[in-house]
Amino acid sequence: MFTGSFIGRCGKDAVVKQNNNGDYVAIDVAEDYFSRNEKKTRWWRVYCMTPKAVKLAQYFTKGRQLQFVGEFSNVDIYEEKKTGKPTYQLVMFAYRVEFINSVKKKELQNADNAENRGETQPAPVSEAERKATPAMPFTASTEEKDDLPF
């Protein structure tokens, strides 16, 4: 058994399916990585049967970033629709799926753009404001008092 974890984003909305053992979630996930200073994408097919994942499947939408922990199963080889070239897709049976952030990648990019425009930067604190900050209500003592009976 080969277990591990990875972080990726949903390539399309998750699908809840059924088999003899009950409901499960099927998710196509894109994982970005770098090889020789070039950004590449590795595709995964993740299956998860936990009740939590089945309930949250409606939130596993395209672009949502998730972390998966589980057992790596096998590699499926298929033909790409656009180019017709054979490619592969890794398969994982996850026993834990967690949200990495609460917003989609596009929403994160919008927030990053707003930050770059200076919209979310806090105002700097002046020296006068810093000096006007009240002192702590207690003083630190170098001598520790121990009130324990032993």
Side-chain angles (χ1 to χ4, degrees):
M1 173 173 26
F2 182 61
T3 61
S5 68
F6 76 96
I7 295 173
R9 65 185 187 283
C10 296
K12 59 182 177 181
D13 293 354
V15 179
V16 177
K17 298 182 178 185
Q18 290 183 334
N19 65 9
N20 295 339
N21 297 327
D23 293 343
Y24 67 95
V25 180
I27 312 167
D28 288 325
V29 181
E31 176 194 19
D32 293 332
Y33 68 99
F34 287 89
S35 176
R36 296 186 178 140
N37 294 329
E38 183 181 338
K39 183 177 177 181
K40 295 185 177 188
T41 302
R42 181 180 300 128
W43 284 94
W44 294 80
R45 170 56 69 105
V46 179
Y47 298 103
C48 188
M49 290 190 69
T50 64
K52 180 181 175 183
V54 173
K55 286 181 186 177
L56 293 175
Q58 62 184 332
Y59 302 107
F60 301 156
T61 55
K62 183 176 181 175
R64 179 77 61 192
Q65 194 172 27
L66 303 169
Q67 178 180 21
F68 302 91
V69 179
E71 181 179 333
F72 302 115
S73 174
N74 60 339
V75 177
D76 290 338
I77 299 175
Y78 65 96
E79 197 173 287
E80 275 191 31
K81 290 179 184 176
K82 293 179 183 177
T83 62
K85 294 168 63 177
T87 188
Y88 66 93
Q89 183 178 41
L90 301 163
V91 179
M92 172 189 250
F93 291 101
Y95 48 80
R96 191 170 78 204
V97 180
E98 295 182 9
F99 293 99
I100 293 300
N101 53 34
S102 60
V103 294
K104 293 182 182 179
K105 185 177 180 181
K106 188 173 183 179
E107 293 168 352
L108 281 175
Q109 288 173 343
N110 290 340
D112 287 344
N113 291 338
E115 186 176 315
N116 290 339
R117 291 190 304 263
E119 295 174 4
T120 60
Q121 296 295 324
V125 178
S126 69
E127 187 64 32
E129 290 175 317
R130 200 171 291 135
K131 288 180 180 178
T133 304
M136 297 297 282
F138 59 88
T139 57
S141 172
T142 56
E143 181 182 315
E144 293 186 27
K145 296 181 181 177
D146 192 2
D147 61 344
L148 297 175
F150 50 88

